Amino acid sequence: MNAFLTWLVLLAPAGAAVVITLTALRRPATAARWSIGAILVAFAASLVLFRAGATGETAVVWLDLPGLRVDFGLRLDPLSLLMLLVVTGVGSAIHIYSWGYMRGDPGLPRYFAGLSLFSFAMLGIVLATNLLQLFVFWELVGVSSYLLIGFWYERPAAADAAKKAFLTNRVGDFGFLLGIILVWSVLGTLNLAELSAKLRAAPPAWGAAATAAGLLVFCGAVGKSAQFPLHVWLPDAMEGPTPVSALIHAATMVAAGVYLLCRLFFLLNAPALEVIAWTGGLTALLAALLALQQNDIKRILAYSTLSQLGYMVMAVGLSGAGGHPAPAMYHLTTHAFFKALLFLAAGAVIHALHHEQDIWKMGGLARKLPVTFWTFLAGTLALCGAPPFSGFFSKDTILTLAWEREHYALLALGVGVAALTAFYMFRLVLVAFTGPAKSQAPDHAHEAPPVMTVPLVALAVPTLLAGFWGIDRGYARQYGAEAAAAHGWAAHLFEPFAHAPMAAWGGLLAAAAGFVAAWTLYRRAVSDPLPGLLGAPARWLRDRLYFDELYAALIAATQDLLARVVAAVDRWVLAAGLVRGTAGVFELTGRLLRHVHTGNLQTYALLLAAGAVVLLWWTLAR
Amino acid sequence: MANLTFIVFCPLVAALVIALLPRTFNVLFRLLALGATFLSLVGAVRVFLALEPGAAGLQFEQQASWIAALGIGYHVGVDGLNAGLLLMGALVAFAAVCVSREITERHQVYYVLLLLMAGGILGAFVAFDLFLFYVFHELALVPTFILIGLWGRGEDRNFATFQITLYLSLGALIALAGLIALYVLAGADTFNLPELTRHLAAQPLSARAQSVIFGLLLFGFGVLVSLWPFHTWAPTGYAAAPTAAAMLHAGVLKKFGLYGLIRVALPLLPEGARDWVNLLAWLALGNLLYCGLVAMRQRDLNLLIGNSSVAHMGFAFLGIASLSVVGVTGTVVVMIAHGLLAALSFAVSGYLHRNLGTVNLDQLGGLLRAMPFLGGVMVMAMFAGCGLPGFANFPGEALTLFGAWPAHRTVVILAAWGALVIAAVYMLRAVRALWHGPLPERWRDVRDARGAWVRLPFVLLLGALVIFGCAPRLLTDQIRPVVARLVEPGAKVGAATVLAEAAPAPRFTAQPPALPGQEVAW
């Protein structure tokens, strides 16, 4: 029964994608029904499995060769069960919201097909039992992301962003694939359970390849979770429809990198974890800084996503050898709730303003869009780590982890980023939702229809309450660590302050400082005062520290230049020089031998045979 | 209908019938060609499904004596290695006839040549007599030149025809020299492959002779498969060729060389193979990286597909160079997958060329709005081309990389870059240039492929790619036992492979891929 339900979770969205593609490409309502129905079925089945606490593995053999056996399997354990709920739960809300947001778009069936394909691929990552299967679904989420970012493919910006996202991810996947091959060649299997058993039984089996393999696998996560230095694709990915940004580029797919690291935590050794921690920390800081000077509501959220992903990756790294990365998964989960909420609320704003995304053309929206405003505010508070919102608890576990590991540099970095987070998020809230209207656009804004506001409210519930649900203990169970729960809500709320006061107060005060700064600067602002205060650095931040330009120049100077040279060689040396040269020799010979070169078939046959004989003679006589 | 002689001779007899009919029966020519290739396809499907994987020896075997004095006979059969290739060849042949509606002149000669080509290819894949094997290949090769010369397109047509003829004749000649040398040195007075194999297993050739003959076969067959740096004939040739000829040649006929290497060179000349595989691995990298980079610079869709098709041959060579069961199995999967993919890509490109008059990427754009079906097909083909899971190319390419890793690490690392990044760059740039972006006014009225008959070849080829991509065991379970027999003398995996083959490794105790007793150095 459990095996059946697990297959159902995975295959329902796949079925929907196939049915829509084959039969419903011209029938929007049918397509929406299939897609939404499938994700709801998957959600319901996940709930049943979760309630039953089902664990276990089921698999069919996908490839079977000597020394290389690849299963196509499904694995249920605490980690995948919780992640299933996140993906299908948040996914359900976003699927339903999409039906309102995308209504009337001529490509709607294609949109829902893409969404279902994505759900299938993401669930495949969650349930995978071996490395190659992980890679397969890893690529499939990449391609569904490509299709959905480029959904409005007629807009050059969207088409370019889709391409950029896919290619950047491919650079990460290059490392991931090599890591998989390396793990296989050293340990002789791709199955996750076998790998972890082998490593537990005989860690030296690993040898010197451990760090290399860990870092190569991490490359995959760097690409998918948009960590520095491959972070450039995520902001551009905001060209896709907003619900896509919410589902794929905030809640689930970009978090897949973190999930991968937690799933393969047993592969990572201390040096690799140190690199991972610093990569995450740097990404968190860099993205928070870049967010300060963005004016597009979705791009601000995109950078904040990057920054939060940095926190999660940092948490994985901080867990250290012998620890467990439950804090990273905890933050991933709460982040999925509140960031999806923020994006959907931003979508409601964009919808109301007829696709205006510049916050400096908004203002005073709190009164016009009350539901949107209050839910957005809830998301913002959770993101900033204000108690009792879920984000407070999850962020606190990460800061506490840094404290406990005595990694004070990253603790300071985490606290600093918390201040920046509060600053840029309240800049967004204050400019867009309060103060005077800064253009004509907000005058005619209307609250979105219930099909969009109900998902907002539905996501606001876990945004507020998920900190009290014991999600962290659920994840800790995966790694065999049981923590005692605090009794009662109040005790739970105050527990962080008692347990690791430096971390809890540090994060809270930093957020407060960020809020105060934003309040002072932006409460009544009609244009951004920060460039005046900061000068040139503000411009650098607005221009995203010129990473895109740098990479473009780098690619032009290396790969593109090489391609240019090689293409020229191919054309002028190999084809023109050698071939035409050979042709010239043949022609000359032909002229000399004109009397045998009659041009009829028999002569050619004779020459063919003669040539063969000569070659043969030459071969044998030596 | 599951009769190999029937499958092979259906197109050949149809060609003969068409040649004898009056010149004006255009509709009948087409119907006959469709019918003949369809019958071949049905037969190939039935053979594929009826095949017993792992059974020793050949199945559906048929023999007749022919030139007994030289030990030449008619001998056809299938095993796991060529059943998939036969199916792929028959499918592409049928699809190629389907898209031949673009031909507007000299129908009779065209269909005769096309059917000769199809029959020759199918025959070459099932022949187990080296002489017959070669004759069938030539039967398919010569019509290719004529098809390109007479129905080709573009200004470079003459040069392209000239170049492809020169190169491929030369390659075939070198391969022939190798085969004859093999025949003479073996001294068994037979071209019959199973007999020759038995004979050489008992009395192997000297290491030196093996090395020389393997070299001849490698470069002879290599030229036929566009091994770098002997590849320049391929992109220009395909760009100039009529759609059906490009589909059949790039898709199927080109695989003849690879098939020859696996079927003849590896098992008969195991010592010789070891002398050459390091060089071969690096030449394969030439295909993968060099031709991939060249493809990045192309502005003509046909040249892009042609170069990418050459690049993909790198995987096939790399798998052969691995001399391992995993790698060579991967090569065979790549051959089948690439055959379907190349045929599909050239079919789409041919349709575009016929309807738009150009396939220059700079002049096109935004066509997905006007041609959603064809665009969808092409985008999927492009994804298959950059190794996306879900299409048959992925398992093949992954297996070649896994298989080659123990022997050729540096090459695999660079090849993975070619597979994952370079291929994605040129494929996605092409998608961006062709299908995305605003639709120019000029193309607002172009017609998408409409109607079941027009869509059929695309659907068939794409469907096969997806089916084999989702369930690669349909292919690998057939291929693996045969490949294990063929490469076993070469790989010296010995006990491990035999064990793994005799009793599939129980779950959770797979064999380590490193050679026994060899420490993995890192």
Side-chain angles (χ1 to χ4, degrees), chain A residues 452-466:
Chain A
M452 288 165 69
T453 51
V454 170
L456 288 183
V457 176
L459 283 171
V461 174
T463 297
L464 180 59
L465 298 179

Side-chain angles (χ1 to χ4, degrees), chain A residues 61-62 64-65 67 71 139 143 153-154 160 166 170 174 184-185 194 559-560 563 566 570 583 608 616 619, chain B residues 162 180 212 231 290 296 369 383 386 389 399 405 413 417 420 428 432 437-438 470 473 480 507-508 511 513:
Chain A
V61 182
W62 192 65
D64 187 15
L65 289 156
D71 286 341
E139 292 290 297
V143 82
Y153 57 82
E154 289 185 331
D160 290 335
F166 194 82
R170 269 291 170 103
F174 165 67
W184 168 76
S185 79
E194 284 174 47
Q559 185 153 296
D560 279 352
V566 162
D570 196 60
L608 206 76
L616 197 56
T619 323
Chain B
F162 171 68
I180 293 176
V212 171
H231 65 277
Y290 177 99
M296 275 171 63
R369 173 68 68 214
F383 280 140
C386 53
L399 286 180
W405 175 261
I413 292 172
W417 181 263
L420 287 172
L428 292 193
R432 171 73 184 83
C470 292
R473 281 181 75 196
R480 187 199 58 210
R507 195 117 183 251
F508 300 147
Q511 310 287 330

Side-chain angles (χ1 to χ4, degrees), chain B residues 240-253:
Chain B
T243 307
M247 286 168 71
L248 270 174
H249 194 280
V252 198
L253 191 53

Side-chain angles (χ1 to χ4, degrees), chain A residues 56 111 198 209 247 280 579:
Chain A
Y111 172 85
K198 266 191 185 180
L247 179 61
V579 177

